[in-house]
Amino acid sequence: MTTCGIADTLAAMEECSLRKARRSRNGVRLSYGEATDGRMLHISDEKVPRGLACECKCPECAARLIARKGNITQHHFAHKGNKSCKGAYETMLHKVAKQVLIERKVVKTPSVIVGKTVLHKELMFRLTEVEEEITLPGMRPDILGRRDEHELLIEVMVTHPCGEEKLKRIREQGRATIEIDMSRMARDAPREEVEEAIISTAPREWLYNARYEAAVEQALRERQQREAEEIAKKQRQLQSQLEPVLAAWRAKPVNPQAFQPLASVT
């Protein structure tokens, strides 16, 4: 076969692979698969053999996955038969995040800022215990982390942020909670990048922080007090401006004729 023939063959194989990937939507190009023991394995893991021998399943629909580790396309897991699975990527990232946090037991918490005042700088919060999908009154957080008497709820956002009902429960119960935004994570990101994003580099925010809430309430009370004092000050200034006018008016002689009734018109 000539060089041109080899190039044409390789190009055709690549196009065929791309067509299969396009047909599969979310069911293909997963960077992690779920092993028989429940662990999430990255496609680059040496323990993951090619093809169906990987014995991995989709973390969403539990269908068998094929480990595509060829020499043409980016290595990835695909559903057997290119089955479409809409929630596969989101569920994959949720499970990976839980696994990483359980194993590493550390997560960066964002700073706490009210106005221009930094109440708490961002820090690496080390956990002594991590539980996933634990049931709390009226809700089930993605992760519950503990350190001594402190608790931290961790939500992982891939496509949808934390819902209003869950936010309400979090605030009512006064539970410290952060949300990690993994929506911008590249689907073909290497394992190290995914893990570091979960631990520290992905954007994150407080959904509830008691110090922040207390500081906001204090700032609100102080602003209301300042506004009340400003209103009282303006009232005093106005009163002081009116007093000389009223005093002069009271001291002015009254003309009795000004109060005589008008003569009848005949």
Side-chain angles (χ1 to χ4, degrees):
M1 183 179 292
T2 64
T3 303
C4 291
I6 295 174
D8 290 341
T9 300
L10 291 175
M13 292 172 63
E14 176 69 13
E15 178 60 27
C16 179
S17 180
L18 290 174
R19 283 199 301 270
K20 289 180 179 180
R22 284 194 291 268
R23 284 198 302 269
S24 178
R25 197 180 176 186
N26 290 334
V28 80
R29 294 192 178 280
L30 295 177
S31 53
Y32 285 83
E34 186 171 345
T36 54
D37 61 0
R39 285 186 53 77
M40 299 297 292
L41 299 179
H42 193 269
I43 189 66
S44 65
D45 197 314
E46 294 181 355
K47 298 178 181 178
V48 177
R50 295 175 60 177
L52 290 171
C54 67
E55 296 186 338
C56 289
K57 65 180 181 179
C58 171
E60 171 66 14
C61 68
R64 294 189 68 185
L65 294 179
I66 301 172
R68 300 195 184 280
K69 306 179 78 169
N71 299 321
I72 300 177
T73 59
Q74 182 80 28
H75 290 184
H76 62 276
F77 288 101
H79 284 70
K80 182 182 178 182
N82 286 322
K83 174 186 175 182
S84 179
C85 183
K86 186 176 181 181
Y89 182 70
E90 181 173 7
T91 302
M92 179 199 80
L93 275 185
H94 269 98
K95 289 193 173 185
V96 170
K98 294 169 186 176
Q99 178 174 294
V100 170
L101 291 170
I102 288 172
E103 291 178 350
R104 301 274 292 271
K105 289 186 172 59
V106 63
V107 64
K108 179 184 282 187
T109 55
S111 55
V112 180
I113 302 174
V114 177
K116 296 181 180 180
T117 304
V118 179
L119 300 178
H120 203 297
K121 294 182 180 180
E122 62 182 18
L123 56 82
M124 297 300 288
F125 190 74
R126 299 202 171 273
L127 305 164
T128 55
E129 184 180 357
V130 180
E131 297 180 84
E132 60 174 315
E133 299 291 347
I134 188 170
T135 300
L136 298 176
M139 63 175 170
R140 179 176 289 184
D142 290 335
I143 290 287
L144 170 61
R146 295 188 180 92
R147 187 179 72 185
D148 301 326
E149 73 277 9
H150 301 289
E151 287 188 348
L152 176 66
L153 305 188
I154 304 172
E155 294 293 316
V156 180
M157 193 270 277
V158 180
T159 57
H160 303 291
C162 188
E164 289 298 325
E165 186 61 31
K166 195 177 214 181
L167 279 172
K168 180 182 177 182
R169 298 291 184 188
I170 288 170
R171 296 181 67 84
E172 287 175 347
Q173 298 174 32
R175 295 184 180 275
T177 308
I178 64 171
E179 183 174 68
I180 302 173
D181 182 0
M182 295 292 288
S183 63
R184 289 173 253 179
M185 191 78 247
R187 295 200 174 206
D188 58 351
R191 176 174 52 193
E192 294 77 11
E193 185 177 334
V194 175
E195 293 185 359
E196 288 309 309
I198 295 164
I199 297 299
S200 62
T201 60
R204 58 206 60 212
E205 65 175 346
W206 286 102
L207 298 183
Y208 182 85
N209 180 283
R211 290 188 64 183
Y212 173 83
E213 299 297 329
V216 168
E217 289 181 6
Q218 178 64 25
L220 179 60
R221 287 194 296 268
E222 291 175 355
R223 187 181 73 179
Q224 291 172 340
Q225 183 177 353
R226 287 195 302 270
E227 291 175 348
E229 290 174 352
E230 186 65 24
I231 291 173
K233 180 181 178 181
K234 290 181 179 180
Q235 288 176 339
R236 290 193 299 270
Q237 291 175 344
L238 180 60
Q239 184 68 26
S240 65
Q241 293 171 358
L242 286 175
E243 283 178 356
V245 177
L246 292 172
W249 182 81
R250 295 190 189 100
K252 187 177 180 179
V254 179
N255 183 3
Q257 295 181 351
F259 295 93
Q260 292 294 329
L262 294 174
S264 301
V265 178
T266 58

